[in-house]
Amino acid sequence: MNSNIEKIITQFYAKINKPRPMFFWLPSPLQCLLGLAATRIMAKDFPKELSNLWSNLRSNLESNLG
Protein backbone atom coordinates (compact mmCIF):
# COMPACT_ATOMS: atom_id res chain seq x y z
CA MET A 1 0.00 0.00 0.00
CA ASN A 2 2.79 2.45 0.88
CA SER A 3 4.35 2.09 -2.56
CA ASN A 4 1.00 3.03 -4.17
CA ILE A 5 0.76 6.14 -2.01
CA GLU A 6 4.33 7.10 -2.88
CA LYS A 7 3.62 6.59 -6.57
CA ILE A 8 0.51 8.82 -6.50
CA ILE A 9 2.22 11.59 -4.53
CA THR A 10 5.27 11.43 -6.79
CA GLN A 11 2.99 11.81 -9.83
CA PHE A 12 1.42 14.92 -8.28
CA TYR A 13 4.85 16.42 -7.69
CA ALA A 14 5.85 15.68 -11.29
CA LYS A 15 2.74 17.51 -12.54
CA ILE A 16 3.81 20.65 -10.68
CA ASN A 17 7.44 20.24 -11.77
CA LYS A 18 8.77 19.56 -8.29
CA PRO A 19 11.33 16.92 -7.32
CA ARG A 20 10.13 13.68 -5.80
CA PRO A 21 9.71 14.03 -2.02
CA MET A 22 11.39 11.72 0.46
CA PHE A 23 9.08 9.29 2.23
CA PHE A 24 9.45 7.93 5.73
CA TRP A 25 7.10 5.21 6.90
CA LEU A 26 7.13 4.65 10.64
CA PRO A 27 5.05 2.02 12.41
CA SER A 28 3.81 4.06 15.36
CA PRO A 29 3.07 7.60 16.54
CA LEU A 30 5.88 7.31 19.08
CA GLN A 31 8.39 6.50 16.38
CA CYS A 32 7.05 9.46 14.37
CA LEU A 33 7.81 11.74 17.30
CA LEU A 34 11.27 10.23 17.72
CA GLY A 35 11.92 10.62 14.00
CA LEU A 36 10.78 14.22 14.14
CA ALA A 37 13.07 14.92 17.10
CA ALA A 38 16.04 13.27 15.36
CA THR A 39 15.38 15.26 12.19
CA ARG A 40 15.28 18.51 14.13
CA ILE A 41 18.58 17.70 15.84
CA MET A 42 20.28 16.79 12.55
CA ALA A 43 19.00 19.84 10.67
CA LYS A 44 19.18 22.59 13.27
CA ASP A 45 18.27 25.43 10.92
CA PHE A 46 14.99 24.74 9.14
CA PRO A 47 14.03 27.31 6.52
CA LYS A 48 11.39 29.74 7.77
CA GLU A 49 8.77 28.45 5.33
CA LEU A 50 8.99 25.01 6.96
CA SER A 51 8.55 26.27 10.52
CA ASN A 52 4.75 26.45 10.17
CA LEU A 53 4.67 22.95 8.69
CA TRP A 54 6.65 21.55 11.63
CA SER A 55 4.42 23.38 14.13
CA ASN A 56 1.31 21.93 12.51
CA LEU A 57 2.81 18.45 12.37
CA ARG A 58 3.86 18.56 16.02
CA SER A 59 0.46 19.87 17.10
CA ASN A 60 -1.33 17.19 15.10
CA LEU A 61 0.83 14.39 16.51
CA GLU A 62 0.40 15.66 20.07
CA SER A 63 -3.38 15.84 19.61
CA ASN A 64 -3.54 12.31 18.23
CA LEU A 65 -1.35 10.92 20.98
CA GLY A 66 -3.26 12.75 23.71
Side-chain angles (χ1 to χ4, degrees), residues 26-36 60-62 64-66:
L26 301 169
S28 73
L30 176 60
Q31 287 185 337
C32 289
L33 287 175
L34 292 172
L36 177 59
N60 191 354
L61 286 171
E62 288 171 352
N64 287 325
L65 291 174

Side-chain angles (χ1 to χ4, degrees), residues 2 5 8 11 13-14 25 36-37 49-50 52-53 56 61:
N2 292 346
I5 294 169
I8 292 167
Q11 289 172 353
Y13 271 72
W25 298 99
L36 177 59
E49 58 269 8
L50 291 180
N52 189 40
L53 173 65
N56 290 338
L61 286 171

Side-chain angles (χ1 to χ4, degrees), residues 1-65:
M1 180 173 162
N2 292 346
S3 63
N4 288 335
I5 294 169
E6 288 182 24
K7 182 188 245 184
I8 292 167
I9 292 172
T10 299
Q11 289 172 353
F12 281 125
Y13 271 72
K15 286 184 183 208
I16 60 171
N17 297 316
K18 297 285 184 183
R20 181 186 188 275
M22 292 188 341
F23 295 92
F24 297 93
W25 298 99
L26 301 169
S28 73
L30 176 60
Q31 287 185 337
C32 289
L33 287 175
L34 292 172
L36 177 59
T39 301
R40 296 192 106 200
I41 290 168
M42 290 185 290
K44 293 179 183 168
D45 297 318
F46 285 109
K48 288 183 182 177
E49 58 269 8
L50 291 180
S51 65
N52 189 40
L53 173 65
W54 286 113
S55 294
N56 290 338
L57 178 60
R58 184 183 322 107
S59 176
N60 191 354
L61 286 171
E62 288 171 352
S63 295
N64 287 325
L65 291 174

